[in-house]
Amino acid sequence: MPNITLPDGSVRSFAEPVTALDVTMDIGPGLAKAALGCKVDGVLSDLSTLLSEDCELEIVTATDRQKNLNPDALYLLRHSAAHVMAEAIQRLVPGVQLVYGPPLEHGFYYDMAIPPESALSSDLFPEIEKEIQKIIGEDRPFTRYEMPVADGMNKLEGEGSKFKIDNAQRAIDAGSEGLSWYATGEPGKDWEDLCRGPHVPSSGRIGACKVMSLASAYWHGDENSDSLTRVYGTAFPDKKSLNAYLNQLEEAKKRDHRALGRKLGLFHIDEMVGQGLVLWTPKGAVVREELQQFISGELRKQGYEQVFTPHIGKLDLFKTSGHFPYYQDSQYPPIVMRESLEEMATEGCSCADLSNRLREGDIEGYLLKPMNCPFHIRIYKSQPHSYRDLPVRLAEFGTVYRWEQSGELNGMTRVRGFTQDDAHLFCTEEQVAGELQGCLSIVKKIFSTLDITDYRVRVGLRDTDSSKYVGDSELWDRAEQACIDAAESLNVQFSQEPGEAAFYGPKIDFVVQDVIGREWQLGTVQVDYNLPRRFDLSYIGADNAQHRPVMIHRAPFGSMERFVGVLIEHFAGAFPTWLAPEQVRVLPVSEKSNDYAGKVLAALKEAHVRCSLDDSNERVQAKIKVGAEERIPYLLIVGPRDAESGSVSVRARGIQKDLGAMELDRFVETIANEIATRGAGTVIQSFEMSSAQA
C-alpha cells in the first residue's frame, strides 16, 4: 500500500500500486488536465510511472505558482518535441537515420544522418513545421515500453541502425538492465524511438514548436567519423510563450555585442593576434577605463592598496597554490627554460617525458598566470604582519590567461586572455564577516549604478563526494557558513549549490541574466582558509604568537572583457553618458556656424567632456542620423541664432525631437554634473524641471 507524500506535506494512501496520473486524478481533474509529468523522489518521470512503494511526488505543470515557466515542464516538452520533429523529418526526407536528440536550455536538437541525395535545408522548415502541427493535432500518446537487453539488441540489429545500436550499448555499459522505447502512439504501429524518457503524456500537449536552424556535427564529436546534420528546434507550452521567445531572440540580435562592438568600434579580435585575445580599440578603452576608475574610487574608500604583478610566474608557484596541475587542462602549456629544452632535445626527450618532468619538478618552467592570487600571496608574505596591520587589502587589474577550446570562444564573453578587477584580502577570522559585507556592498553599488537588476545570488559549496577540493573539512565548514551568513545579509533570495565552489574554498557569485535569458557569472567573492595554509602565511596576534590569516578573493566585475560584453548587450550599445566613449557631438547647421561650433567644442573640452565636431558638408539631418546610429548621448545643433544668443539646441539619444535651446554655460555645467554623478542628475531632467516650472 503506497503512501504518497505531496509537496505540501500531505500524504495520500492507496490500497494498491497507482500511476502518477492516478494520483493527480485523485487530487483533482484540473490538476490532471494541467499535468505534464512528475518528479518521484526528485527524479523527473512520466505520468504513467507506476508507484508501488512509499515516495515523495511532485506534479509538473507548465508554470509554477508565480506563473513562471517551469524548467522541468520545458524539459519534458522539448524532449517530446524532438521526437515529433524527428518523425516529421522522416516523413518528408527518405532514408534519414536518427542518432540522438536531447533537450537543451533553450530548445532541443536532433542529430541525423542525411543521405547525400536527400540534403536537408532551411527551405524545408515550413513543410517540417506543417508535419509537426499534424502530429501535435493527432494528440497521440507517448507510450513507453521496455525490453530485456538481449531482446532489445536483437530488435536494433534487425533494424540495422549502427547509431541506435551504439546508443544502446552505451546505456548497457553504464549499467542499464533493459532498453526502453517511446512510441508516439501505439507500439509496433506508430513512430517510435529508442529513448530513456521522460515525455509529456501525448503529442497534443506540445503547445508550440518551431524548427530553428541547421548545423554540421560529427558522430561522437569526432571529425574523422560520420558527418551528421544537427537540426535545432524549440518548444513552449503555448504560442504566446514561443512568440515572446522569438521576439526576445530578435532583440538579442540587435544587441549582440559582437556585431555592436564592430559597428561602434569598441573592440577587435584579429586572426593574426589570436582567437580569444581581445584588442581594445580607443572607444572601447574609454569604457574600460571609466569602469576601472569607478571601481578604483570605491576601493579607495574601503582602504584597498593597488599592486602590479607580472604575466608569468615560476611553475613552483602554481604547484604550491594547486593551480598546477589542477587547472592544467584550462592553462596554456608551461614555458620551459631554453637551456632545459636544448638539453632534452639532445637526449631525444619525448613530449610525454617533458610533461612528466614538469609535473614532477625535475625541470623548471614558467606559466602564463591563470590566476592573480599566488602573486598577491607572495606580496603579503614578503614582510611580517601584526594583527594591527590586518586586514591587508591588495587590488590589481590583473590579466590572466586560460586555454578555451575554439568552439567555446564567443566575442568578449568567452576569451583566452582577460583582465580581472581582482583583489585579495588577508584578515583575522573575526574580521571575515565584516570584510565579506564590504565586498558585497561594492558589487551591489556596481549593479545599482549600472541599473543591473536581473540577477541572482549563488553560494557555491563543495560537493562532499568529489575529490577536487583541498583542505580540512572543518575549515571548509567554517568558510561555507561565513558565505551563507553573508548572503543572508543581502536580503535577497539566494541558492546554495553544492559543486560550485572553487577548489580552495566556497564562494558567493552574482549571476546576471542577459536579454535572451542566458546567465553570466560576473561578480564573485570567495572565502579561503586553504591557500594561506599552503603558503604558510602568518601574522603576529595580540598574544605575540603566530596565527594564520583568512584570505578572501574578490572580483566585483569578474572579467572586464565579459563584463563589458554583457554591458554592450544590456545597454544595446547606448551607454549611459558617463560611460559613453563620445558624450556629445556638435553639429553646425552650415559652414557659417563652424566658428561658433568650434567655441562650443572648446567649452566642452575645457569641462573634460568627450566630444567631437561634425563640420562636414552633409545636411544636418544626415549628421543627426549618423550621431543616432553611433549611440551618442547628446547632439548639439548650432546655427546663427544659437551663436547670437550663446545657446545650443539639444537633442538627446532616443528622443526624436529637440529638447529645446539651453545656454551654453548651463549645458556644460549640467552635463558635467551628469557625468560626475554618473547619471544622478541629467540634462534631460533639467529640461523637464524647466518645463514644469514654466
Side-chain angles (χ1 to χ4, degrees):
M1 183 177 77
N3 296 308
I4 312 300
T5 304
L6 301 176
D8 64 358
S10 63
V11 178
R12 292 183 181 248
S13 300
F14 297 88
E16 58 185 10
V18 292
T19 66
L21 180 59
D22 293 330
V23 179
T24 64
M25 291 293 291
D26 188 62
I27 296 171
L31 179 61
K33 184 177 179 181
L36 295 173
C38 64
K39 296 179 86 169
V40 181
D41 291 333
V43 178
L44 192 60
S45 307
D46 302 317
L47 283 175
S48 60
T49 301
L50 190 65
L51 310 175
S52 57
E53 297 180 355
D54 294 355
C55 65
E56 294 181 358
L57 179 69
E58 177 184 346
I59 305 304
V60 175
T61 56
T63 57
D64 59 22
R65 292 182 179 179
Q66 289 73 42
K67 302 301 181 183
N68 297 317
L69 291 176
N70 185 336
D72 290 325
L74 290 176
Y75 182 96
L76 291 166
L77 283 165
R78 289 164 179 171
H79 196 182
S80 304
H83 279 221
V84 170
M85 184 185 74
E87 179 180 357
I89 291 173
Q90 286 194 314
R91 285 183 180 183
L92 295 168
V93 184
V96 168
Q97 290 192 62
L98 303 177
V99 183
Y100 29 62
L104 304 169
E105 183 179 359
H106 296 291
F108 58 86
Y109 71 80
Y110 219 115
D111 281 351
M112 304 178 179
I114 310 290
E117 67 275 10
S118 304
L120 186 62
S121 74
S122 57
D123 294 337
L124 196 62
F125 286 3
E127 290 187 55
I128 296 172
E129 289 176 356
K130 284 182 182 178
E131 289 297 321
I132 288 173
Q133 288 307 312
K134 287 181 185 177
I135 298 168
I136 291 174
E138 292 165 4
D139 195 23
R140 288 183 269 134
F142 284 97
T143 308
R144 178 188 176 99
Y145 69 92
E146 299 183 11
M147 300 180 74
V149 165
D151 293 343
M153 290 300 289
N154 287 335
K155 171 181 167 62
L156 292 172
E157 287 167 2
E159 293 171 354
S161 171
K162 68 176 183 180
F163 304 114
K164 293 301 178 181
I165 292 171
D166 180 75
N167 290 347
Q169 189 60 55
R170 285 169 173 261
I172 294 165
D173 292 343
S176 179
E177 297 179 355
L179 298 175
S180 61
W181 278 258
Y182 277 81
T184 311
E186 184 180 337
K189 175 183 174 184
D190 292 307
W191 188 93
E192 63 179 35
D193 193 13
L194 177 74
C195 182
R196 290 183 301 176
H199 289 280
V200 296
S202 66
S203 61
R205 304 302 297 277
I206 301 169
C209 180
K210 186 171 182 60
V211 185
M212 301 295 292
S213 62
L214 299 173
S216 297
Y218 297 102
W219 194 25
H220 299 324
D222 182 357
E223 63 182 11
N224 297 314
S225 190
D226 296 67
S227 294
L228 304 174
T229 298
R230 180 165 293 179
V231 189
Y232 286 97
T234 192
F236 285 88
D238 51 60
K239 289 184 178 179
K240 182 180 177 182
S241 299
L242 172 62
N243 289 335
Y245 174 71
L246 296 177
N247 290 335
Q248 193 178 49
L249 285 182
E250 284 302 312
E251 181 65 21
K253 288 180 183 177
K254 298 176 189 175
R255 294 170 176 260
D256 189 328
H257 80 279
R258 296 166 298 181
L260 282 174
R262 287 191 298 271
K263 181 179 179 180
L264 301 177
L266 298 172
F267 70 95
H268 176 61
I269 295 177
D270 192 282
E271 192 67 41
M272 186 172 285
V273 174
Q275 288 298 304
L277 302 173
V278 175
L279 301 176
W280 294 80
T281 57
K283 288 184 178 180
V286 167
V287 177
R288 172 171 167 165
E289 187 175 33
E290 286 293 334
L291 289 171
Q292 289 187 184
Q293 289 177 358
F294 168 40
I295 189 66
S296 293
E298 296 301 316
L299 295 183
R300 283 192 292 272
K301 293 176 187 177
Q302 292 197 13
Y304 284 77
E305 298 175 291
Q306 185 75 38
V307 297
F308 299 92
T309 61
H311 290 246
I312 65 172
K314 288 181 67 174
L315 211 53
D316 286 348
L317 177 69
F318 299 104
K319 287 178 181 176
T320 301
S321 70
H323 292 102
F324 186 89
Y326 175 72
Y327 274 118
Q328 191 169 359
D329 290 342
S330 60
Q331 294 167 357
Y332 278 83
I335 303 166
V336 182
M337 301 291 289
R338 182 173 298 169
E339 309 85 62
S340 299
L341 276 178
E342 291 173 352
E343 181 180 340
M344 287 185 291
T346 59
E347 295 175 359
C349 179
S350 68
C351 292
D353 290 337
L354 172 59
S355 179
N356 289 334
R357 291 190 189 184
L358 285 168
R359 187 178 293 107
E360 293 167 6
D362 293 340
I363 57 173
E364 290 187 358
Y366 285 78
L367 193 68
L368 279 171
K369 64 176 177 179
M371 298 282 189
N372 296 303
C373 36
F375 295 86
H376 294 188
I377 288 170
R378 298 306 297 178
I379 290 175
Y380 174 89
K381 194 173 174 65
S382 66
Q383 54 185 315
H385 293 279
S386 159
Y387 70 96
R388 294 188 180 90
D389 303 325
L390 272 52
V392 172
R393 307 182 185 97
L394 304 179
E396 176 182 18
F397 290 98
T399 302
V400 297
Y401 302 89
R402 311 272 177 84
W403 180 257
E404 298 281 1
Q405 298 297 322
S406 298
E408 296 175 341
L409 299 175
N410 180 35
M412 299 182 84
T413 57
R414 199 71 181 265
V415 294
R416 288 174 173 162
F418 56 92
T419 302
Q420 293 177 309
D421 61 321
D422 220 348
H424 295 92
L425 295 75
F426 303 86
C427 61
T428 68
E429 189 157 0
E430 294 74 23
Q431 293 169 332
V432 168
E435 292 304 304
L436 283 176
Q437 292 293 333
C439 294
L440 296 179
S441 71
I442 293 177
V443 179
K444 291 179 69 176
K445 173 74 171 180
I446 290 169
F447 284 6
S448 63
T449 300
L450 293 168
D451 194 30
I452 295 174
T453 58
D454 196 357
Y455 67 88
R456 65 183 179 90
V457 176
R458 175 179 69 199
V459 179
L461 309 174
R462 72 194 186 281
D463 180 353
T464 54
D465 293 330
S466 173
S467 60
K468 82 171 189 177
Y469 305 100
V470 298
D472 293 343
S473 293
E474 181 183 346
L475 296 179
W476 269 93
D477 291 341
R478 282 151 56 186
E480 288 180 336
Q481 191 58 52
C483 285
I484 292 169
D485 292 343
E488 286 177 342
S489 72
L490 289 171
N491 295 319
V492 298
Q493 284 191 332
F494 68 92
S495 61
Q496 300 181 38
E497 300 187 21
E500 289 295 327
F503 76 93
Y504 47 75
K507 58 180 180 173
I508 304 170
D509 292 331
F510 287 77
V511 183
V512 173
Q513 189 171 82
D514 68 14
V515 289
I516 61 170
R518 296 172 304 182
E519 289 191 327
W520 301 99
Q521 183 217 303
L522 297 180
T524 186
V525 181
Q526 304 170 5
V527 179
D528 184 357
Y529 283 82
N530 290 303
L531 286 183
R533 195 175 194 179
R534 293 175 77 98
F535 281 93
D536 194 25
L537 302 185
S538 65
Y539 67 90
I540 302 300
D543 58 359
N544 210 33
Q546 286 195 345
H547 297 267
R548 186 87 63 203
V550 182
M551 186 174 174
I552 297 175
H553 308 244
R554 182 243 61 182
F557 288 140
S559 155
M560 295 297 293
E561 284 75 7
R562 175 178 292 180
F563 195 86
V564 170
V566 172
L567 275 190
I568 291 171
E569 297 187 358
H570 178 66
F571 292 117
F575 293 105
T577 304
W578 68 275
L579 262 186
E582 184 177 347
Q583 295 160 327
V584 179
R585 183 170 293 176
V586 184
L587 311 177
V589 298
S590 69
E591 188 178 346
K592 295 178 182 178
S593 301
N594 283 352
D595 287 345
Y596 180 62
K599 293 179 181 178
V600 172
L601 188 73
L604 291 166
K605 288 185 174 180
E606 182 70 21
H608 305 292
V609 177
R610 294 188 290 274
C611 55
S612 71
L613 169 65
D614 183 353
D615 57 0
S616 66
N617 294 326
E618 296 288 343
R619 292 167 58 89
V620 72
Q621 288 303 320
K623 296 178 183 181
I624 291 172
K625 182 181 178 182
V626 171
E629 289 174 349
E630 295 183 10
R631 276 59 166 189
I632 297 167
Y634 294 104
L635 303 176
L636 302 185
I637 301 150
V638 296
R641 290 184 182 178
D642 298 296
E644 194 174 313
S645 61
S647 63
V648 290
S649 295
V650 183
R651 176 168 289 218
R653 181 179 56 204
I655 300 176
Q656 297 305 311
K657 60 180 182 179
D658 291 353
L659 296 176
M662 181 183 281
E663 291 181 358
L664 174 59
D665 289 347
R666 185 176 164 217
F667 177 82
V668 172
E669 179 183 352
T670 306
I671 193 170
N673 179 66
E674 179 175 343
I675 294 166
T677 61
R678 297 189 175 90
T682 69
V683 171
I684 294 174
Q685 290 170 348
S686 180
F687 273 102
E688 290 171 345
M689 290 175 60
S690 297
S691 298
Q693 292 170 357

